[in-house]
Amino acid sequence: MVEQDVIILANENFTGQYHRLVLQADRIAPQAQPGQFVHLRIPLLREALLRRPFSIYQVKDQTLSVLYKTVGKGTHQLARLKPGQMMNAIGPLGHGFTVPASPQIRPLLVAGGYGMAALYLLAERAPRAGVVFVGGRKQGDILCEAEFRALGWEVRAATEDGSYGRRGLVTLPLREELERDASGVRLYACGPTPMLKAVSALAHEFNVEAELSMDEHMCCGVGVCLTCVIPVRTSEGWEYQRTCTEGPVFTANSIAWEVMA
Ligand SMILES: Cc1cc2nc3c(=O)[nH]c(=O)nc-3n(C[C@H](O)[C@H](O)[C@H](O)COP(=O)(O)OP(=O)(O)OC[C@H]3O[C@@H](n4cnc5c(N)ncnc54)[C@H](O)[C@@H]3O)c2cc1C
Ligand code: FES
């Protein structure tokens, strides 16, 4: 983990409400692992001390990029920043996804929203390509399809309004694939909590391993404030663990879903 001032190389609209921010981050980028994140201090934000966490999307040499959606004060301010401006970043943070050790493991990725960005490095570094199941409310929520296809991955989309791909939740085509063949499968997912819970239930039903990125609200991002805890099973029952340090990625069967609100 490194704290450094980084230079904005690009900050442009990607699609819809999503923007792509490219940072010159020579000490963070080379260390980044799939599923890790950076914690950015956004300049000229009144509450600038509160950083904002973003998954590391792509890494190339000394640069890294993130895909962010403008949802509130911080991300709207981020979208106003121009190439050449500096900001402070901490990263790479968190415990990310386990890259499959061998091509015997058949990776199936499941993404909602910016989950595609969080899963990209895993797809790039996996020893074999698999299938990415991507879901959203409408066509505009489906990100990075071309980028995953360019890596040789098959992309199956589902939208709730039926405007693109299958109509319905992303777990429908995922279920069909597991019914067809669940042998050697490992699931990796990032997206809204109800989606992660449904993926966890499918992993249990089909007896396959699953790793989930549990992106809770974060303040410090480095394990101090305990804002980001979730209940995780232990031999005695369960305990709270920090998604910023023990996570954000946890195995599906380690999460005490029955305790989560
Ligand atoms: C580990 C991690 C990785 C993330 N990666 C990405 C990413 O790659 N791309 C991306 O667009 N966003 C990502 N997020 C979410 C992102 O951090 C928030 O959207 C951002 O901090 C909102 O800041 P804001 O000041 O614009 O919004 P705020 O004014 O703080 O909040 C605006 C709205 O966004 C909601 N919100 C804030 N934080 C989160 C969160 N963590 N999860 C869900 N909703 C939230 C608030 O409840 C509120 O409704 C990630 C979050 C975590 C914890
Ligand atoms: S965000 Fe502070 S402990 Fe995780």
Side-chain angles (χ1 to χ4, degrees), residues 179-193:
E179 281 169 351
R180 193 189 64 79
D181 182 10
S183 56
V185 161
R186 188 182 292 165
L187 301 175
Y188 297 90
C190 182
T193 305

Side-chain angles (χ1 to χ4, degrees), residues 17-19 35-39 42 45 47 50-57 65-78 93 113-115 117-118 143 190 213-218 228 243-244 247-248:
Q17 274 178 278
Y18 278 91
H19 299 253
Q36 289 190 299
F37 66 95
V38 280
H39 215 17
I42 299 170
L45 186 64
E47 313 83 351
L50 270 188
R51 293 168 182 269
R52 300 294 193 277
F54 298 97
S55 303
I56 297 171
Y57 168 40
S65 63
V66 304
L67 283 188
Y68 65 93
K69 186 176 185 178
T70 46
V71 293
K73 266 194 276 188
T75 44
H76 278 108
Q77 174 55 23
L78 186 56
L93 291 174
Y114 70 79
L143 297 180
C190 182
S213 184
M214 304 292 293
D215 295 352
E216 294 293 311
H217 285 237
M218 290 180 182
C228 65
T243 55
C244 66

Side-chain angles (χ1 to χ4, degrees), residues 218-228 242 244:
M218 290 180 182
C219 285
C220 73
V222 292
V224 178
C225 71
L226 305 184
T227 313
C228 65
R242 298 160 298 184
C244 66

